[in-house]
Amino acid sequence: MRNALFFALSLFYCLNLTAQTGAPGYDITCWTNGNTASDLESVPVKFARGKVNALTPFELTFSENVPEAAEASIRFAADIWSSYLQSNVPVRVNIDWRDQGDENLLASAGPSTIYRAFAGSIDNDVWYPVALAEAIFGEDLNDTDEADINVVVNSTANWNFDTEGTVPRNRIDLATVALHELGHGLGFLSSIDSTSDTTVSIGFDDRFIIYDLFLETPPGRSLTDSTLFTSPSKELLAAVIERLDFAGENAVRENGGELVPLFAPQTFDVGSSVSHLDERTFRTGTTNALMTPSIANGEAVRDPGPITLGILEDLGWPLRYDISATQPVIAGRLGIYPNPARSSFTLPLEEVLSPSVAVLYAMDGREVRRLDVSRQRVAAQFDVTGLPPGLYTLYVPDGNRAFSARVMVR
Ligand SMILES: [Zn+2]
């Protein structure tokens, strides 16, 4: 189904490598395991309404049949992502609410389109989900009336809409499921798909999606290594039904230096295998349980958890880990130029009331350079010579607030 849709619409794009290229996206399906969570005391509930410090705007469009109480719960989930993701480009989400014919199927979600060959992508031949592509590119790529992420919620599941109290033991927490589904739409998904009973394929149009690049099966064999795996093939199927890991450096760091086990059941599960964390490793009630393939009755996960954030960071999402900071951040107002920068950029300071310092961070959160701007009033020159090309985040604290901007170094 995913491939059928993909190929039907793939006629619309051409092989122009200088301009960015788009193609239709696809969905991941997510289920309940029917179990009831027994130990919820250990679930960290970090967020309470009104305390979240939003960075990335999320624009949610609800279809008419979404109940009002459900809307609040889905907004709550979007606010949590918004507090971690550091992008100026709004993430537009369409949410539909309908009978999926099976109450154990909770929801499905995915990027509405995928893009490649835009400025900032690691390779012209790698696909990115549109929301991530736009965050890296720094501007909208699709039409502004077009969704970036589509979420379909099953209307017949036994939902809990409340985001404050504990989840009743016979109900499924909608905020948890919405947080999970948005995670898929933001890029937590592989292109691996079933092609027959004995083979699976990877990639679309002979090109991988960014998440695929980090897939590894022991001993250290990358699924995107064409000398080891052809697509579609039996070897590829064997690799995704044994032990499969996510090997990105940020995810591994957040997993204490270990590769991150992904969901790779003995029978390939179309639309679920590979695109989730391993359920047995990341059990219900633990910090990293959000992106496991199923959720239990009474389970609440109100934070992506460090491993999922590490995965998104590996994919290229500009992130802020320390969301406990109360300092409001004003993104994208400074008007840095030129951007991308080659040897230096101009940092206008007119908006900054009390300039003191400007700090440049790499995508992994490391500080790479800082400049004293306490004597400048109008503008400062920030030198970037010697820095590796890529995307950086600039912070300019200003009293009890801070300005931030993304800077591309060429
Ligand atoms: Zn899922």
Side-chain angles (χ1 to χ4, degrees):
M1 178 59 199
R2 285 158 50 198
N3 275 339
L5 179 68
F6 179 81
F7 286 119
L9 292 160
S10 62
L11 299 172
F12 285 99
Y13 63 87
C14 59
L15 292 170
N16 181 353
L17 290 179
T18 53
Q20 67 273 0
T21 301
Y26 55 99
D27 291 343
I28 297 300
T29 49
C30 311
W31 302 77
T32 174
N33 54 18
N35 296 337
T36 298
S38 53
D39 176 20
L40 290 176
E41 277 67 44
S42 62
V43 177
V45 178
K46 227 172 179 177
F47 292 89
R49 199 187 300 277
K51 285 191 185 160
V52 170
N53 191 1
L55 292 175
T56 299
F58 272 69
E59 295 173 7
L60 309 183
T61 305
F62 297 97
S63 68
E64 273 180 19
N65 39 1
V66 181
E68 222 173 289
E71 289 190 16
S73 183
I74 293 165
R75 268 185 215 290
F76 177 88
D79 284 348
I80 293 171
W81 278 120
S82 169
S83 71
Y84 281 109
L85 306 176
Q86 200 151 254
S87 168
N88 304 326
V89 187
V91 176
R92 290 183 298 269
V93 186
N94 273 357
I95 298 113
D96 198 4
W97 189 267
R98 52 174 193 252
D99 187 348
Q100 300 283 67
D102 179 347
E103 64 172 35
N104 286 328
L105 173 58
L106 298 175
S108 56
S112 61
T113 38
I114 54 177
Y115 276 84
R116 64 178 185 84
F118 53 89
S121 64
I122 62 159
D123 188 308
N124 279 349
D125 283 328
V126 173
W127 293 110
Y128 285 74
V130 59
L132 171 55
E134 292 179 341
I136 294 169
F137 186 59
E139 280 174 49
D140 274 308
L141 287 166
N142 56 6
D143 287 339
T144 51
D145 59 357
E146 206 183 309
D148 301 326
I149 297 174
N150 290 312
V151 179
V152 180
V153 183
N154 188 3
S155 60
T156 63
N158 194 12
W159 294 113
N160 168 63
F161 294 140
D162 183 23
T163 54
E164 312 231 321
T166 52
V167 182
R169 286 177 175 274
N170 62 341
R171 289 187 184 261
I172 298 286
D173 185 50
L174 180 60
T176 301
V177 171
L179 193 63
H180 173 113
E181 298 307 326
L182 290 172
H184 288 309
L186 293 167
F188 198 114
L189 81 174
S190 154
S191 71
I192 293 190
D193 199 7
S194 179
T195 41
S196 76
D197 286 347
T198 54
T199 57
V200 296
S201 63
I202 187 168
F204 302 116
D205 195 27
D206 287 331
R207 295 177 177 94
F208 304 115
I209 197 163
I210 181 74
Y211 182 97
D212 296 338
L213 305 192
F214 302 94
L215 301 175
E216 214 177 272
T217 186
R221 294 181 302 154
S222 166
L223 267 56
T224 59
D225 183 340
S226 60
T227 65
L228 297 174
F229 298 101
T230 53
S231 173
S233 71
K234 288 178 183 159
E235 290 72 26
L236 210 47
L237 176 62
V240 299
I241 58 170
E242 287 180 17
R243 163 118 192 194
L244 183 69
D245 297 302
F246 191 94
E249 66 177 282
N250 296 294
V252 168
R253 181 194 66 225
E254 297 301 329
N255 195 33
E258 304 281 327
L259 295 173
V260 177
L262 297 174
F263 180 55
Q266 283 301 314
T267 305
F268 182 77
D269 192 342
V270 180
S272 183
S273 281
V274 190
S275 297
H276 288 105
L277 295 179
D278 181 40
E279 187 87 60
R280 286 166 305 176
T281 312
F282 304 105
R283 290 181 182 277
T284 299
T286 58
T287 323
N288 290 299
L290 180 68
M291 294 310 291
T292 58
S294 58
I295 174 184
N297 282 300
E299 182 177 5
V301 190
R302 305 278 173 74
D303 189 280
I307 292 177
T308 292
L309 288 173
I311 288 175
L312 290 192
E313 197 175 3
D314 285 321
L315 303 180
W317 265 105
L319 285 190
R320 189 176 65 166
Y321 274 102
D322 180 18
I323 51 134
S324 57
T326 51
Q327 197 177 44
V329 175
I330 303 159
R333 182 101 64 77
L334 290 172
I336 283 167
Y337 65 91
N339 194 2
R342 279 183 195 283
S343 55
S344 73
F345 60 82
T346 301
L347 165 61
L349 290 165
E350 281 122 333
E351 295 250 3
V352 185
L353 303 176
S354 52
S356 59
V357 69
V359 188
L360 196 64
Y361 293 94
M363 281 308 43
D364 61 6
R366 265 180 314 117
E367 178 182 327
V368 292
R369 204 156 283 185
R370 108 182 357 230
L371 177 70
D372 181 350
V373 293
S374 56
R375 289 170 187 276
Q376 275 90 7
R377 283 292 167 265
V378 181
Q381 275 308 113
F382 201 113
D383 179 43
V384 294
T385 48
L387 292 177
L391 199 57
Y392 293 81
T393 303
L394 184 76
Y395 269 100
V396 184
D398 185 24
N400 59 4
R401 59 181 189 167
F403 290 88
S404 82
R406 279 168 312 103
V407 184
M408 177 82 77
V409 173
R410 277 281 155 79

